[in-house]
Amino acid sequence: MTAPSLAAPAPAKGASLIAPDARTRRRNASERRFRLLGLSAVGLGLLALVVLLTSVLGNGLSAFRQTWITVPVTLDAALLDKEGNRNPEEMRQVTTLGYGKLLEAALIAALAEKGIATDALSEKEVTGLLSKEAAADLRTAVLADPSLVGQTLTFRALATSRIDGYFKGRVTRESAARDANVTPAQLDLADRMAAAGLIGTQGNAGFLTRPDASELRPEAAGLGVAILGSAYMMVVVLVLSLPIGVAASIYLEELAPRNRWTDLIEINIANLAAVPSIVYGILALALFINILGLPQSAPLVGGLVLTLMTLPTIIIATRASLKAVPPSIRDAALGVGASKMQAIFHHVLPLAMPGILTGTILGLARALGESAPLLLIGMVAFVRDFPGAPPQGLLDPAAALPVQVYSWTQRADPAFVERASGAIIVLLAFLLAMNALAIILRRRFERRW
């Protein structure tokens, strides 16, 4: 019986080893189509990203600039400190109405000094260029430093949102003719004031430090409370989710026996990572607020619900990092006499640290951008007061960056659209910083074997 021949089959008649046949040409064409499809998908993704960033930056960068009216204000002691004691508690009796009268008189006097005509406008229309928040800012400055009383202070007052929008190109004379909050004559006055140096657009650091403002004062709205509230929540999430998630991962990956119970736990963790975030909000509303009686709109409650949402992500990432450590590391540690716990904490865990830190930071970044669970626990409430220092501040009402974006998009004044886009830029900056930190830490602690 002859053995089967292992020689390659003879080429078909007319075939060539250099020129591709029809089957090879079809295969190469299919590969080119797939490559083109992949490049098209990448191009569409990049195009969508460019459009998104262009829209957000185009609408939001102007939120970091603000229009100010600069006038010299004489702080009349007879009005602001009748007793003459310079006692802030006594001076608090003067409301913003009194400070508003000083600002209005100062503005009219400054216009007269510069020779700017206001004949076509009433006094109310002239002073209508000043924001309602300007008097409150002046009052805050005087109460913080009572020695200013009796002096003439060069004060920067916020202009109204319509005047601010005019200098930013959002408001035109055509739109002003149909607007009940501003008139074309007021815009003409603003132009004359700008030529005289009384009004101008400058940087707006208050956008990052001021609290939220009412719908009537969009020019005064800021992210101060939202940034502080988000920071408090991220501290709570980090303190709770990192040790709990790492401990659970070490137990499940290194110590737990392989049986149906651990399989059930692993399946549930994987399922929890895919649960919509609003479900966690419903759980927090029922457990933390209705049963435990924790206050609504508190950073502690927000941190707890975000911790529940982040834990599955951290556990899955940590287990993957632990599993990526070669078994030879464990065997070598045990072979030289180390205990099971020593092998884990002295050898395996340090090698898995880059992946653990990366998973934790990415989980925190996801939690920072969540709004649905926070809406259900009441963090959409209007909050003007800054929360106190921890630990009491964790129970004070606060806002969060994504919820602040949602709140501003629901308001009618177009100026809040600018504010919302500016808040998105701040949120994206935080997310980029956290992702950059994850990359840096991964490279810093990465070890090769």
Side-chain angles (χ1 to χ4, degrees), residues 233-249 303-316 318 356-357 359-365 367 434:
M233 285 192 298
M234 290 303 101
V235 170
V236 173
V237 175
L238 181 62
V239 169
L240 294 179
S241 63
L242 181 59
I244 295 175
V246 172
S249 302
L304 289 174
V305 63
L306 294 179
T307 297
L308 295 178
M309 190 187 70
T310 307
L311 267 176
T313 302
I314 294 179
I315 291 175
I316 292 173
T318 303
I356 295 173
L357 293 176
T360 300
I361 294 176
L362 294 181
L364 291 175
M434 295 178 73

Side-chain angles (χ1 to χ4, degrees), residues 202-232:
Q202 303 174 19
N204 183 23
F207 180 62
L208 301 176
T209 58
R210 285 178 176 268
D212 194 8
S214 67
E215 293 195 12
L216 299 177
R217 307 177 183 184
E219 65 279 354
L223 291 172
V225 175
I227 291 176
L228 190 58
S230 291
Y232 280 1

Side-chain angles (χ1 to χ4, degrees), residues 55-61 63-64 207 405 408-409 416-428:
S55 174
V56 172
L57 294 176
N59 293 326
L61 285 177
F64 297 90
F207 180 62
V405 173
W408 282 346
T409 56
F416 281 112
V417 176
E418 174 194 79
R419 288 302 202 261
S421 298
I424 292 174
I425 294 175
V426 174
L427 184 59
L428 289 176

Side-chain angles (χ1 to χ4, degrees), residues 43-340:
L44 286 175
L46 292 176
L47 179 62
L49 178 61
V50 170
V51 171
L52 173 64
L53 291 178
T54 302
S55 174
V56 172
L57 294 176
N59 293 326
L61 285 177
S62 56
F64 297 90
R65 297 181 294 112
Q66 188 66 40
T67 302
W68 305 87
I69 299 176
T70 306
V71 292
V73 182
T74 301
L75 303 176
D76 188 2
L79 176 63
L80 304 182
D81 187 14
K82 297 180 181 179
E83 302 298 330
N85 298 324
R86 301 298 188 267
N87 186 347
E89 295 302 323
E90 296 177 356
M91 295 169 60
R92 290 182 189 277
Q93 298 178 6
V94 182
T95 64
T96 54
L97 293 176
Y99 288 88
K101 293 177 180 178
L102 287 179
L103 270 177
E104 293 171 359
L107 175 59
I108 294 174
L111 293 175
E113 182 181 351
K114 294 289 185 177
I116 300 176
T118 59
D119 299 337
L121 295 170
S122 65
E123 183 174 321
K124 182 178 180 181
E125 289 177 320
V126 172
T127 58
L129 274 64
L130 290 168
S131 168
K132 297 181 182 299
E133 191 73 15
D137 291 341
L138 180 59
R139 182 175 183 268
T140 301
V142 172
L143 292 178
D145 186 7
S147 64
L148 295 175
V149 175
Q151 302 180 21
T152 298
L153 174 68
T154 301
F155 183 70
R156 284 200 323 166
L158 284 168
T160 62
S161 63
R162 295 300 193 272
I163 300 300
D164 179 58
Y166 172 65
F167 284 98
K168 294 177 180 177
R170 188 175 64 246
V171 176
T172 63
R173 284 176 171 78
E174 289 74 17
S175 64
R178 304 185 301 269
D179 197 336
N181 296 311
V182 69
T183 64
Q186 287 178 307
L187 301 183
D188 294 336
L189 176 59
D191 284 334
R192 295 194 295 270
M193 292 173 61
L198 292 179
I199 191 171
T201 302
Q202 303 174 19
N204 183 23
F207 180 62
L208 301 176
T209 58
R210 285 178 176 268
D212 194 8
S214 67
E215 293 195 12
L216 299 177
R217 307 177 183 184
E219 65 279 354
L223 291 172
V225 175
I227 291 176
L228 190 58
S230 291
Y232 280 1
M233 285 192 298
M234 290 303 101
V235 170
V236 173
V237 175
L238 181 62
V239 169
L240 294 179
S241 63
L242 181 59
I244 295 175
V246 172
S249 302
I250 291 175
Y251 175 76
L252 291 174
E253 188 64 32
E254 303 289 341
L255 303 174
R258 294 293 180 262
N259 53 40
R260 65 178 63 183
W261 295 111
T262 54
D263 291 342
L264 180 63
I265 292 173
E266 292 176 1
I267 292 174
N268 281 311
I269 290 174
N271 289 334
L272 287 174
V275 169
S277 59
I278 196 169
V279 176
Y280 289 99
I282 297 173
L283 172 63
L285 179 64
L287 176 61
F288 299 134
I289 295 178
N290 293 339
I291 296 178
L292 299 181
L294 294 176
Q296 294 186 8
S297 192
L300 177 61
V301 181
L304 289 174
V305 63
L306 294 179
T307 297
L308 295 178
M309 190 187 70
T310 307
L311 267 176
T313 302
I314 294 179
I315 291 175
I316 292 173
T318 303
R319 291 194 63 188
S321 301
L322 293 172
K323 192 177 296 185
V325 177
S328 58
I329 301 295
R330 299 172 177 83
D331 296 338
L334 296 175
V336 296
S339 66
K340 182 72 172 178

